[in-house]
Amino acid sequence: MKNILLTLILSCMTFVSTNAISPRALAIEEKKPIDLESENKDDREKTLVIPFQAWLVDNEEIEILSYHAYTDVTVSICTVSGQVLDSQTLSFASMQSVTFNLCNYTSGYYQVKITTPIGTEISSTFMIE
């Protein structure tokens, strides 16, 4: 009986140790909102609702959500001096999000710029820690 109990305990310990959840899997994702603003000078556009939302996720990626369907939207990641580091032209379905990997970026300030097909520019500065 003692051998069966000991075998059962060892089996449980082995199961727990081989199926343990990694600390990364237990970590809570940190999403910091990025406040996007229109760069167009037209007073009418200053009152419009920005059709995108953006977050910095765990200092590793930017997630951008589009509230409307768009084609040919250009999303750029730039230095604060304006040098384009990454740029992609995308199509969005309504309520679709895309992510940009920032793992190779050093700590510092960057800009995300979104340009719609009609030329509306939306941007914000964010910091990677």
Side-chain angles (χ1 to χ4, degrees):
M1 182 71 173
K2 288 183 182 179
N3 287 340
I4 294 172
L5 184 57
L6 183 59
T7 303
L8 183 59
I9 291 172
L10 289 174
S11 295
C12 288
M13 290 174 59
T14 302
F15 177 79
V16 169
S17 67
T18 58
N19 294 300
I21 299 173
S22 70
R24 173 79 174 139
L26 293 175
I28 297 173
E29 181 177 81
E30 182 182 6
K31 285 178 107 170
K32 295 179 185 175
I34 298 173
D35 296 324
L36 298 170
E37 296 179 3
S38 175
E39 292 191 2
N40 294 46
K41 304 302 182 214
D42 187 342
D43 285 337
R44 290 177 298 128
E45 290 199 16
K46 289 180 183 177
T47 62
L48 292 177
V49 174
I50 304 293
F52 297 94
Q53 191 166 1
W55 298 271
L56 179 62
V57 182
D58 292 334
N59 278 314
E60 295 178 356
E61 63 186 20
I62 286 185
E63 179 181 347
I64 298 171
L65 171 70
S66 175
Y67 291 109
H68 303 289
Y70 287 102
T71 56
D72 300 327
V73 173
T74 302
V75 179
S76 303
I77 308 296
C78 308
T79 63
V80 289
S81 62
Q83 177 187 1
V84 177
L85 303 173
D86 188 7
S87 184
Q88 296 180 32
T89 300
L90 307 165
S91 292
F92 286 92
S94 180
M95 300 306 289
Q96 178 186 0
S97 64
V98 296
T99 57
F100 283 78
N101 187 332
L102 304 175
C103 289
N104 294 326
Y105 290 50
T106 60
S107 297
Y109 289 91
Y110 297 89
Q111 287 185 321
V112 57
K113 291 186 179 185
I114 303 169
T115 307
T116 66
I118 62 169
T120 302
E121 291 186 7
I122 301 162
S123 70
S124 185
T125 300
F126 64 95
M127 183 179 83
I128 297 176
E129 297 175 1

